[in-house]
């Protein structure tokens, strides 16, 4: 037997018992004739003591141990003279009488402590050691607890978890599909699902009116900071529901998770903000509403003077940073640099300082009178001591830049407290979005989304104005998930494919089985998918999803620990009837 | 609102309430001036009634409906004159006052009833309709309930569910790996895991001492009747355990599942039978012990007469079929044909009838006296009225044939009751098995399995005799799962790779990261993986795993519903730097 107890459970109540523990050596120190060792397992840390006076041989053996050795010890629990109030086992220690080394350890490539000296790359290469560290371990345990609470909640509501296939069909539209060559079907490929969308809709047609799945999905695309080629979704679908039914269920689920996992009671209904309003007030469809600082449009009022930057702008907008009138030149320059970063792309930043003494100072003093600027301040509801920041230019870009600037100011002002959570729903998304490059409309959510009945008449004349029964859940500026009501009628779906530029043949080839399915009695249905990795990282207070994934990939889609992807043998390729045709510069990172 | 209640919950208690239901039309019939419609959803069936006298227009509208239409109705609950005791809602019906057709349906390609007229291929093509049928729906719900109970059990025992990656590394050994070309890493491939084996071992090294996952695994191989290219495992691993610890936990889990899901209390400890004993007594390592009928060896006693079939045989074995002495010529011929089938491959069948009158009749009367045959009967513990069936030949093949014959006789004698469950453990598997074709040893379980300490000294001299700390869970003749204690020492693992014919370079290339990991303090660990599809199909009383999978593939690995796998576009291949080089005869089925 390797252990009678874990390293996290023994207290003063157990004094005088003889126990056996197994675990890793966290720390060793010698003090006079005593050797103290902290032994660690998943559950905690217990102090071991070896007394040279009582057992010199054992003490010598202990002195040969090192950090991260795996040992098994037996001994009597005694009271500690020097108690450690920070850990549950801090009142006791084990006076060791037997010691067995189960595994030795070389010196780890980084320290295995709360804070480590290991850089990102090193931690990923030795991820199995990184996972020993408390913060990383806690994330993985948090993830498990959250998955369990999601299941508990949905199970109670009679949702059925159903596994949908991982080897599905590749579609020409699926530019970001991973494909999988089939050995048994020569020259043919499966694809890995970007989502189980079509299958969950088929399940609704099958009559499973409440489906869910915590499921891996896959996307082969350039990875930005917070993307992974494989990611996990809480995927759900319901029949005989309207939008409010779906929102109510998943709002409750979100509250349930906050309550159960973080003991945070969210009492109020989540605000529902239309896409249009969100873009107008926050410049983004995923606003962080932990703080106000809404965007105000100044386009009309600011034009018509000699300042051509504004006169030529499609849009002029501003935010008010409360209490920032005393920002220095240097601070304002830093903000200007911030908005000029290529990924934000503003040309420049205009400021107006509403000084405490009532004077107004701005970078556009020579074009506008204080009286005029005071009018703007009123629009922004700005007070003495506040700083107004203005951007101008092409509308979409400027709103985006204002959104980024707003977040930056929120950050600087400490308004984005990681322990406060402000969920909201964005609703009334546009059905379609225009793509300049290809000169056609794309589905903003996906081609199965139901347009709003009252906008249907605009489909032929003003398609960009048609709103969809689509919604996103946003928490603290992070898009946690989204969904929609779906089309459940063959003709409407056919039409939708037409609007999206599919030929009849393409639509049939790719989604014929779904349109066939609609012919046999499809119920009204809708659903949602939540990004589980993001949700967990939000709960964990992390900025990246990487540390809530046990074995993540890096930004090049590589697992540096197992060194994957990698070349495969010629024989393997031959069996698959494949040839790698072109390999000029392997962009391994 | 689509419904106030489901179609499975209204009873006499609800009489006079006005309710709204939505669902599919299961059945329609006219009776005098009344139209009766059974409306179905996931929860049950409720009878609707339309009264021509009260509402002729609505009744006409109802008459235009058809099977599988999706409708929404509102009406008052009334008592049924002709009660149906078979269903929970059988005491009431809804007198419909409002009717809305949500979706029409064409006539389905097969009847959607308990028993259907649809063949396998048709049911798979229209799987979404097949899933409407009660027996298939019940299987999917059973699967969900079992997954939940597995999680409940393991969660309580502090197992952590951890997701391991799906995009992993292809190894030259992984002949049956599905590979996935990477767009970002040109010419390189991921592989889909045949099991999360290495990752769960790394998690043990990380200190997660109790891990599990209900996880999809993948194998690209010719599919026999009961295999799928993607399948689901209950995958588990534990640290600081011996074999008995693992067996105890998963024996309890099995009992828990039987109790919770089927209300079957398995009181006794599962028998533990060594591989050697199982092969000896049952001719297989997955014996069905719902019935006795053990194999007895007659090699020594049966040789030395004029019967050369026996004299030349490496092995002679027999089973006793109780009460079958009266088997006719025809029945015996059928058994002979059975054992001569190519997949069983016996040359012929020898029988001995122990007639009720004490006489002995056999197909080898001219070679053996009744006295001699009586001796054999004693070995088999055969009584008057019994039939002894004997096979002879090469040992392994003959044992296998006897095992098949035993199962066949069990079937014929009704000894394989699907509602009785007899789990057992097979233990002490050989570590290695010899492959004639390649002329080398392979790991019987996998290369990470720990040999038995007491057999370790035989590794160099008699490797075939070395037993492993490996075990299988077998229920009713079905291998439900298996596992082992693992090697946790770099040197032993290196040695093992050597025994298995890996060069040092190959071992490093493929498993270097694991052997590296062993250097930093690996705990003793072991685990198990259970085939979840098989376990559910066993619980469902099915012979195939296909009907416990929502969207299964056929024997050629095809999903005939979505028509996958399929060709991908030239552009897609180009982006992946791949070319399909050879495609003589697409073996689509």
């Amino acid at each position: 037997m390797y252990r009678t107890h874990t390293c996290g459970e023994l207290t003063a109540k157990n004094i005088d018992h003889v126990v056996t523990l197994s675990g890793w050596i966290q720390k060793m120190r010698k003090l006079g004739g005593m050797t103290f060792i902290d032994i660690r397992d998943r559950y905690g840390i217990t102090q071991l003591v070896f007394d040279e006076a009582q057992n010199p041989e054992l003490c010598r053996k202990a002195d040969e141990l090192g950090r991260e050795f795996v040992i098994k010890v037996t001994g009597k629990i005694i009271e500690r003279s020097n108690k450690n109030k920070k850990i549950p086992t801090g009142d006791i220690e084990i006076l060791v009488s037997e010691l067995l080394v189960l595994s030795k350890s070389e010196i780890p490539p980084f320290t295995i402590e709360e804070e480590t000296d290991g850089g990102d790359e090193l931690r990923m290469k030795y991820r199995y050691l990184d996972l020993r560290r408390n913060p990383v371990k806690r994330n993985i345990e948090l993830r498990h607890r959250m998955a369990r609470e999601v299941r508990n909640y949905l199970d109670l509501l009679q949702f059925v978890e159903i596994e949908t296939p991982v080897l599905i069909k590749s579609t020409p539209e699926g530019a970001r599909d991973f494909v999988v060559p089939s050995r048994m079907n020569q020259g043919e490929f499966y694809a890995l699902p970007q989502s189980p969308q079509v299958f969950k809709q088929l399940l609704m047609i099958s009559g499973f009116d409440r489906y869910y799945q915590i499921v891996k999905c896959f996307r082969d695309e350039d990875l930005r900071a917070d993307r992974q080629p494989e990611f996990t979704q809480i995927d759900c679908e319901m029949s005989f529901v309207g939008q409010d039914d779906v929102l109510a269920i998943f709002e409750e689920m979100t509250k349930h998770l906050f309550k159960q996992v973080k003991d945070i009671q969210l009492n109020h209904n989540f605000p529902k903000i239309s896409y249009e309003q969100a873009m107008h007030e926050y410049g983004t469809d995923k606003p962080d509403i932990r703080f106000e600082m809404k965007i105000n449009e100044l386009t009309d009022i600011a034009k018509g003077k000699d300042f051509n930057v504004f006169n030529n702008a499609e849009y002029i907008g501003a935010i008010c940073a409360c209490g920032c009138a005393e920002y220095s030149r240097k601070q304002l320059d830093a903000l200007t640099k911030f908005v000029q970063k290529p990924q934000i792309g503003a040309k420049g930043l205009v400021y107006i300082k509403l000084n405490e003494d009532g004077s107004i100072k701005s970078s556009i003093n020579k074009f506008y009178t204080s009286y005029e600027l005071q009018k703007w301040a009123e629009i922004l509801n700005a007070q003495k001591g506040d700083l107004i920041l203005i951007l101008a230019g092409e509308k979409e870009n400027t709103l985006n830049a204002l959104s980024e600037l707003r977040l930056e100011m929120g950050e600087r002002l400490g308004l984005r407290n990681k322990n406060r959570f402000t969920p909201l729903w964005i609703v009334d998304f546009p059905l379609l979005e225009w793509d300049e490059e290809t000169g056609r409309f794309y589905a903003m959510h996906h081609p199965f989304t139901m347009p709003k009945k009252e906008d249907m008449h605009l489909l032929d004349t003003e398609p960009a104005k048609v709103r969809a029964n689509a919604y996103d859940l946003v928490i603290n500026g992070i898009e946690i998930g989204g969904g929609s009501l779906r089309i459940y009628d063959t003709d409407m779906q056919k039409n939708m494919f037409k609007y999206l530029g599919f030929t009849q043949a393409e639509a049939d080839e790719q989604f014929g089985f779904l349109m066939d399915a609609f012919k046999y009695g499809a119920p009204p249905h809708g659903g949602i998918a939540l990004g589980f990795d993001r949700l967990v990282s939000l709960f964990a207070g992390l900025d990246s999803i990487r540390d809530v994934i046990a074995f993540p990939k890096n930004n090049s889609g590589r697992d540096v620990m197992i060194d994957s992807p990698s070349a495969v043998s010629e024989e393997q390729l031959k069996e698959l009837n494949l040839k790698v045709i072109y390999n000029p510069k392997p962009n391994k990172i």
Side-chain angles (χ1 to χ4, degrees), chain A:
Chain A
M1 206 205 342
Y2 287 104
R3 58 185 176 190
T4 55
H5 295 77
T6 70
C7 299
E9 64 181 304
L10 297 170
T11 64
K13 276 184 290 187
N14 306 96
I15 280 170
D16 283 341
H17 294 189
V18 172
V19 297
T20 299
L21 299 182
S22 286
W24 286 260
I25 294 180
Q26 177 74 33
K27 210 160 71 182
M28 296 181 58
R29 61 201 174 285
K30 286 190 76 79
L31 204 69
M34 315 287 265
T35 299
F36 294 96
I37 292 183
D38 282 354
I39 182 173
R40 181 195 75 228
D41 66 10
R42 182 181 137 204
Y43 310 92
I45 282 181
T46 299
Q47 178 163 296
L48 310 177
V49 57
F50 297 79
D51 184 349
E52 193 163 5
Q54 284 190 34
N55 196 335
E57 199 191 334
L58 194 70
C59 209
R60 255 196 314 281
K61 217 173 136 190
D63 292 345
E64 285 162 17
L65 301 172
R67 280 196 173 212
E68 301 305 323
F69 276 45
V70 184
I71 58 171
K72 172 184 151 183
V73 293
T74 298
K76 203 167 81 170
I77 302 171
I78 56 176
E79 194 177 354
R80 245 162 104 161
S81 51
N82 190 5
K83 295 196 174 48
N84 180 349
K85 291 294 172 205
K86 286 188 206 145
I87 58 173
T89 63
D91 286 348
I92 58 97
E93 59 194 7
I94 315 278
L95 181 61
V96 177
S97 53
E98 286 172 47
L99 165 66
L100 182 67
V101 176
L102 297 172
S103 284
K104 294 184 179 185
S105 174
E106 295 184 4
I107 293 168
F110 48 82
T111 57
I112 295 171
E113 305 272 3
E114 199 81 14
E115 300 283 334
T116 183
D117 56 352
D120 251 23
E121 194 74 359
L122 202 61
R123 285 174 48 216
M124 288 303 140
K125 184 165 161 56
Y126 297 92
R127 181 62 162 176
Y128 45 87
L129 298 180
D130 196 33
L131 284 165
R132 285 186 190 167
R133 295 174 50 235
N134 254 325
V136 188
K137 187 194 78 176
R138 273 196 301 262
N139 293 340
I140 302 300
E141 289 176 336
L142 171 70
R143 186 180 180 109
H144 169 61
R145 212 158 72 244
M146 289 183 68
R148 203 170 62 193
E149 288 301 337
V150 167
R151 290 198 167 95
N152 285 349
Y153 175 83
L154 294 174
D155 286 349
L156 261 181
L157 293 176
Q158 296 199 276
F159 280 77
V160 189
E161 185 163 26
I162 302 176
E163 295 172 55
T164 53
V166 176
L167 297 171
I168 65 166
K169 184 177 175 143
S170 181
T171 63
E173 279 290 293
R176 298 171 302 177
D177 281 349
F178 280 105
V179 298
V180 183
S182 162
R183 206 180 309 256
M184 291 217 290
N185 301 271
Q186 299 194 345
E188 297 191 319
F189 295 77
Y190 302 99
L192 303 181
Q194 296 186 31
S195 105
Q197 182 61 34
V198 179
F199 290 97
K200 67 177 173 174
Q201 291 193 238
L202 291 175
L203 287 172
M204 293 306 108
I205 294 170
S206 296
F208 289 96
D209 57 359
R210 294 185 160 199
Y211 143 91
Y212 82 100
Q213 193 182 184
I214 300 183
V215 61
K216 277 275 173 77
C217 299
F218 306 86
R219 210 177 287 146
D220 190 6
E221 62 182 346
D222 292 348
L223 302 171
R224 282 178 276 147
D226 214 23
R227 291 268 176 96
Q228 288 277 318
E230 52 179 300
F231 53 97
T232 304
Q233 288 198 359
I234 306 169
D235 191 54
C236 304
E237 196 79 4
M238 305 171 71
S239 292
F240 304 120
V241 289
Q243 177 169 311
D244 285 345
D245 300 307
V246 180
L247 265 47
I249 294 257
F250 291 94
E251 181 162 326
E252 269 319 303
M253 184 177 91
T254 308
K255 288 179 175 176
H256 172 86
L257 285 175
F258 274 107
K259 180 67 194 151
Q260 296 301 318
V261 177
K262 293 191 80 71
D263 198 23
I264 291 174
Q265 183 86 46
L266 298 173
N267 287 314
H268 300 291
N269 291 341
F270 297 179
K272 288 192 184 83
I273 302 181
S274 75
Y275 174 84
E276 200 185 346
Q277 187 189 347
M279 292 308 290
H280 191 71
E281 295 183 348
Y282 301 99
T284 174
D285 58 2
K286 34 182 188 285
D288 182 349
I289 59 168
R290 276 174 297 185
F291 61 108
E292 190 83 354
M293 207 190 286
K294 285 182 187 168
I295 295 170
N296 280 275
E297 183 168 358
L298 301 175
T299 313
D300 289 340
I301 202 171
K303 286 197 175 195
K305 303 284 163 171
D306 287 344
F307 188 47
N308 280 334
V309 170
F310 281 5
N311 290 339
N312 299 332
E314 180 189 1
Y315 173 90
I316 306 163
I319 56 172
C320 170
C322 292
C324 294
E326 310 217 335
Y327 258 38
S328 66
R329 184 76 253 163
K330 200 173 146 195
Q331 283 174 304
L332 289 165
D333 284 351
L335 287 180
T336 304
K337 278 224 178 86
F338 174 82
V339 299
Q340 286 175 336
K341 285 196 296 186
Q343 61 270 42
I344 297 182
K347 296 243 164 56
L349 176 68
V350 169
Y351 69 83
I352 304 172
K353 286 179 172 180
L354 306 178
N355 295 323
E356 290 289 356
D357 63 7
S359 69
I360 293 183
K361 181 165 186 283
S362 95
S363 52
I364 47 172
N365 273 347
K366 60 174 165 176
F367 302 111
Y368 300 91
T369 65
S370 285
Y371 177 78
E372 282 164 341
L373 296 180
Q374 186 57 49
K375 284 272 171 229
W376 302 7
E378 278 162 29
I379 291 174
L380 281 135
N381 203 19
Q383 311 294 326
K384 280 177 193 170
D386 292 352
L387 172 70
I388 295 171
L389 299 168
I390 307 174
L391 297 177
E394 190 274 324
K395 182 169 181 177
E396 202 176 311
N397 294 343
T398 306
L399 275 169
N400 176 55
L402 278 165
S403 164
E404 294 294 335
L405 181 61
R406 175 179 175 272
L407 292 178
E408 175 69 16
M409 289 312 299
E411 199 67 54
R412 284 173 186 243
L413 294 171
L415 301 172
R416 303 181 71 189
N417 175 352
K418 286 203 169 172
N419 297 313
R420 260 194 73 216
F421 297 91
T422 51
L424 77 155
W425 293 104
I426 302 291
V427 297
D428 300 348
F429 275 86
L431 181 70
L432 305 166
E433 56 185 346
W434 180 256
D435 183 60
E436 282 298 340
E437 210 173 305
T438 51
R440 70 173 179 88
F441 280 106
Y442 283 84
M444 192 155 187
H445 188 54
H446 55 51
F448 314 110
T449 300
M450 176 89 92
K452 286 213 182 274
K453 213 176 242 171
E454 59 270 35
D455 293 355
M456 218 86 103
H457 65 283
L458 299 169
L459 261 172
D460 286 312
T461 51
E462 296 180 278
K465 286 206 176 155
V466 177
R467 291 166 306 160
N469 286 301
Y471 33 81
D472 273 1
L473 175 63
V474 174
I475 307 180
N476 292 6
I478 298 162
E479 183 196 326
I480 293 298
S484 64
L485 300 187
R486 328 295 187 186
I487 296 167
Y488 59 97
D489 173 87
T490 315
D491 291 334
M492 196 194 290
Q493 187 65 65
K494 273 190 184 161
N495 262 328
M496 193 51 60
F497 284 130
K498 210 175 61 194
Y499 287 118
L500 296 170
F502 287 66
T503 66
Q504 174 81 44
E506 282 167 351
D508 283 350
E509 157 76 19
Q510 291 170 50
F511 300 110
F513 60 96
L514 182 65
M515 289 188 290
D516 273 351
F518 286 156
K519 290 180 194 157
Y520 297 102
H525 61 287
I528 197 167
L530 307 180
F532 188 54
D533 307 295
R534 285 208 198 154
L535 191 61
V536 180
S537 76
L538 177 81
F539 271 56
L542 297 168
D543 294 320
S544 158
I545 61 172
R546 209 184 285 178
D547 265 346
V548 299
I549 297 172
F551 300 102
K553 296 185 174 54
N554 72 9
N555 283 347
S556 313
R558 297 197 69 81
D559 182 327
V560 296
M561 178 184 74
I562 62 172
D563 191 25
S564 161
S566 60
V568 300
S569 69
E570 278 306 315
E571 297 92 278
Q572 255 175 308
L573 287 175
K574 207 171 140 192
E575 252 197 89
L576 295 167
N577 303 298
L578 286 180
K579 203 175 158 65
V580 174
I581 46 169
Y582 179 62
N583 193 3
K585 38 163 186 167
N587 53 357
K588 207 183 271 197
I589 289 177

